[in-house]
Amino acid sequence: MGGCRKKSDAPEAKEAVFLRRKITLTRAISLAIGTMVGSGIFISPKGVLQNSGSVWVSLIVWLACGILSLFGALCYADLGTSITKSGGHYIYLLETLGPLPAFLRLWAEFVIIRPANMAVVSLAFGRYLIEPLFAPCHAPALAVKLITTTGITLVIVLNCWSVTLSANIQTALTALKMITLGLIIVPGMIALGNGHYENFQEGFDTSTLTLDKLPLAFYSGMFAYGGWFYVNFVTEEIVNPKRNIPLSILMSLIVVTACYILTNVSYYAVLTPQEILSSEAVAVSFADKAFKSISSVLPILVALSCFGALNGGIFAASRMLFAAAREGQWPALFSMIHIQRHTPLPALLLMLPLIYLMVSIGDLYGLLNFYSVSRWFFIGLATLGLMVHRYRHPELPRPFKVPLVIPLIFTIASFFIVGTSLYSDPVNTSIGCAITLSGLPVYYLVVQKTRIPGCCISKFNSMTAKLQILMKVAFQEVQTY
């Protein structure tokens, strides 16, 4: 009878509702590079230079951010191969430090971090796409926001429709990103070869450097590298994760760090620091000065680069929400998967309203500082959790094991940047902290189900059932971790 059951179950398993392993090594590398190389390298040079005070100090900040991100990536490669669930930061905090910090991370992610991050990237997409049409004037803010909301909606639709389609688009756009960076790096290197060193000659002039602004320079730099952790959000969908997670994270970060340093050197070879600081779109200003013949094409390439980062970020972030709902810390509806498309449809749709709200705010640098404190605080907590987990569970197999000094350095650096930002930008930092802590009453009053009246639970379950039918979604039927 056991044999008969096995045969009859085989065709059903093919149609079972669960997230398939469709992320190969190439797609994982594309996801990591594609989410790192988004708007950051085209927006952040201005923020890094403004807050670091000089050319050479800004280049040192870029290199330091790359090394610090590499340390963080090594920690996440360790966590991703020993804790095999999807969900990234959230699931690592849950498994290492417990449910409360995990929920606060989740709350911060979907109230501040994710909407603000996606708004920054999508606003850059809208601005670069439409700016050439209004040159030499600036594009109207309303037009930028309309293009931005259209792009966000398109990305959500693509991710709801097919995992394979969104992954293939991500791979193609990542290749396009590398071409775009090449179009910046090559003319910059040619300019250096022709002797254009003038912007580097007084590069160590630190008269305008103030230590209270330096953490904000690191925030801008770390924003540009943000994305190395997205592979860990989709662990259960990666083919051979024990091999491909470390490989994809490390290969992508080495490539991106090298490209970022060369890109910034190219910016300084062509543009003066004053031109960078006065520019709304550094890559457009670079193209206008370096090669006017294709200056109208580069903004479109940059916009497509931002679109790729938007696609990768939404693809990965929806899995955190999916994982949290599966763990019982978010409404069960969001742990459901479309029965035909095999995509986490409810989790994807939930992100739209808050992203629209952040886009309506519209201040790129305000948004950047607004969410950075929460993001890096919780990433530092996750690497602290790695050390705690290593101490509590020394018997667990770790296919990729990093020396403890690496998570120690990364954790201290993350907390130091967060701590100094309270002095550098107290208003945005305080708002970020307050919104994160607003998750405490939600956790104790709502997540702890014993405190919810039975009638409310009954009505909520009824609404969930109706939405489940409307969206054609169901719970995962196959355990994938």
Side-chain angles (χ1 to χ4, degrees), residues 16 27 34 110 119 137 143 158 160 230 254 293 336 351 360 367 393 401 408 423 435 453 455:
R27 287 175 175 174
F110 287 97
C137 303
L158 285 171
C160 289
Y230 281 130
I254 290 168
S293 57
M336 295 186 190
M351 289 191 282
S360 69
L367 285 173
H393 304 283
K401 190 173 182 178
L408 180 64
Y423 177 72
I435 294 177
C455 61

Side-chain angles (χ1 to χ4, degrees), residues 311-424:
N311 179 61
I314 286 174
F315 177 85
S318 62
R319 273 58 178 179
M320 180 189 285
L321 196 58
F322 168 82
R326 191 174 59 185
E327 297 291 338
Q329 288 202 331
W330 206 253
L333 177 68
F334 300 102
S335 66
M336 295 186 190
I337 300 164
H338 196 276
I339 58 176
Q340 294 168 320
R341 298 289 168 194
H342 301 129
T343 57
L345 182 69
L348 286 160
L349 293 178
L350 181 65
M351 289 191 282
L352 266 180
L354 280 173
I355 298 175
Y356 286 158
L357 177 64
M358 290 290 183
V359 166
S360 69
I361 296 171
D363 175 21
L364 285 177
Y365 292 104
L367 285 173
L368 193 62
N369 297 336
F370 181 60
Y371 80 81
S372 287
V373 62
S374 296
R375 166 180 270 187
W376 293 108
F377 174 73
F378 283 109
I379 291 177
L381 269 187
T383 52
L384 174 64
L386 167 61
M387 294 184 282
V388 173
H389 195 252
R390 186 86 66 84
Y391 175 76
R392 288 178 178 170
H393 304 283
E395 77 286 352
L396 288 180
R398 297 181 185 275
F400 185 87
K401 190 173 182 178
V402 296
L404 282 176
V405 67
I406 290 177
L408 180 64
I409 291 171
F410 184 83
T411 303
I412 292 170
S414 297
F415 289 159
F416 177 76
I417 294 172
V418 169
T420 51
S421 69
L422 285 166
Y423 177 72
S424 303

Side-chain angles (χ1 to χ4, degrees), residues 49-117:
L49 178 61
Q50 188 174 358
N51 291 300
S52 61
S54 71
V55 170
W56 281 106
V57 174
S58 72
L59 291 175
I60 291 168
V61 168
W62 279 103
L63 179 60
C65 288
I67 293 170
L68 191 59
S69 297
L70 180 61
F71 279 15
L74 289 168
C75 298
Y76 269 56
D78 186 322
L79 287 164
T81 52
S82 56
I83 299 171
T84 56
K85 295 179 180 180
S86 291
H89 320 304
Y90 165 78
I91 211 71
Y92 301 149
L93 287 169
L94 182 68
E95 296 286 333
T96 61
L97 299 180
L100 180 56
F103 179 78
L104 289 178
R105 165 64 199 186
L106 178 73
W107 182 257
E109 175 76 18
F110 287 97
V111 176
I112 315 174
I113 298 171
R114 186 55 40 205
N117 178 265

Side-chain angles (χ1 to χ4, degrees), residues 147-209:
I147 295 293
T148 295
T149 51
T150 304
I152 293 164
T153 307
L154 179 58
V155 169
I156 294 286
V157 169
L158 285 171
N159 278 273
C160 289
W161 187 258
S162 168
V163 170
T164 302
L165 177 62
S166 57
N168 287 341
I169 288 173
Q170 187 68 20
T171 302
L173 289 174
T174 298
L176 194 64
K177 289 168 194 279
M178 303 314 291
I179 293 170
T180 305
L181 288 180
L183 288 174
I184 295 172
I185 292 169
V186 172
M189 295 302 106
I190 292 172
L192 283 178
N194 292 333
H196 292 283
Y197 303 111
E198 54 271 15
N199 294 331
F200 297 93
Q201 288 173 353
E202 296 182 2
F204 273 116
D205 177 16
T206 57
S207 58
T208 57
L209 173 64

